[in-house]
Amino acid sequence: MNSEKDFIAKSLTATIENGSSEWSAPSNIALVKYWGKKQHQIPANPSISFTLRDCKTITKLNFAKRENDGNFSFDLLFEGKPKEDFKPKIQKFLERIEAYCPYLKEYHFTIDTENTFPHSSGIASSASGMAALSMNIMSLEKALNPSMSEDYFYRKASFLARLGSGSACRSVKGSVVVWGNHAGIEGSSDLFGVEFTSEIHRNFSNYQDTILLVDKGEKQVSSTVGHDLMHNHPFAEQRFGQAHQNLSAIKSILGNGDLEAFIKIVESEALTLHAMMMTSMPYFILMKPNTLEIINAIWKFRNDTKIPVCFTLDAGANVHVLYPENVRESVLQFIKGELLGYCQNGQYICDRIGTGAINI
Ligand code: 2P0
């Protein structure tokens, strides 16, 4: 499975009139960031992420056979109610994946979706949402092609999710997921995410991610636009090279449990991501003053206590606070005492490493 052609559905031997499936898929947080892409969501550099456990999208798909009139036919419900605003994104997704799922126009779909995290919390639901929908589409394809292997099922789900939103391909399977060709990671691919299967040191088991909601407003610049600004970016080639090096380094770190080295790479990646935004043309800043307050407070706390807590950032102002399970109590006390004042309405979400999509 190393070419797009391998993902064109074949052997659709069964006839399915109607049915339903339901999957949850989690959000993920990148350690080495994806920022910059080629056509069809092919990443400009490889990335690696922790899969989250509790921040997820739950999507139910009903399907009923219909006359193929050359159009896609679907209703979209968000928390049980029709949501017209989400439909164009789904329409675009279906158009992108149609070549690989030629059966889609033969069905009417009802897509009923909800998130476990608060709506417009500034946590992107595109990764978990596109992954959950892709799992459901693969459940239908598996019903049409009962001989499909489990390996193909998950790979194609990740492949489809990628076409919906790049980072969504890292939300399908595994606790640590690599997406993008990397010389040191066998089986890694630009087409889909793969589970990081090397041994992971116990320092990282049940690793904690507390998400501090600094700003829940609409971002001024979407990720899609941000990715695009890496074309002709003056530092692009250096950055893509650095991501390869950082992925090699983090691969060793995940094996040897060196938390000091982990912190250096993860924080540098977060700041580099935002540095790319600040040095794009046009340039933009997604961090807020409170993002920097939190970063400085984390550095001071770490310096004073030697507790291995660090931050990372997504394409937004929120801060992900990452730390090992054995320092949970002291870090939560620090967060509650010193960081919540920087959060919008004092809001935060306690999450941790999870394992991927779940069939409900
Ligand atoms: C990541 N981000 O690796 C990076 C770091 C945000 C910061 O991938 O245009 O929603 O749908 O492929 O996946 C967010 O961008 O962008 C993202 P598209 P996506 O997680």
Side-chain angles (χ1 to χ4, degrees), residues 30 33-34 37 41 126 165-167 170 223-224 227 273 314-315:
K33 310 287 184 181
Y34 151 58
K37 61 177 160 181
Q41 319 269 87
S126 64
S165 183
S167 54
R170 299 189 311 237
S223 288
T224 304
H227 282 292
L273 167 70
D314 237 332

Side-chain angles (χ1 to χ4, degrees), residues 237-249:
E237 288 316 309
Q238 286 284 348
R239 161 60 197 155
F240 302 147
Q242 179 199 43
H244 279 268
Q245 288 164 14
N246 282 346
L247 192 40
S248 301

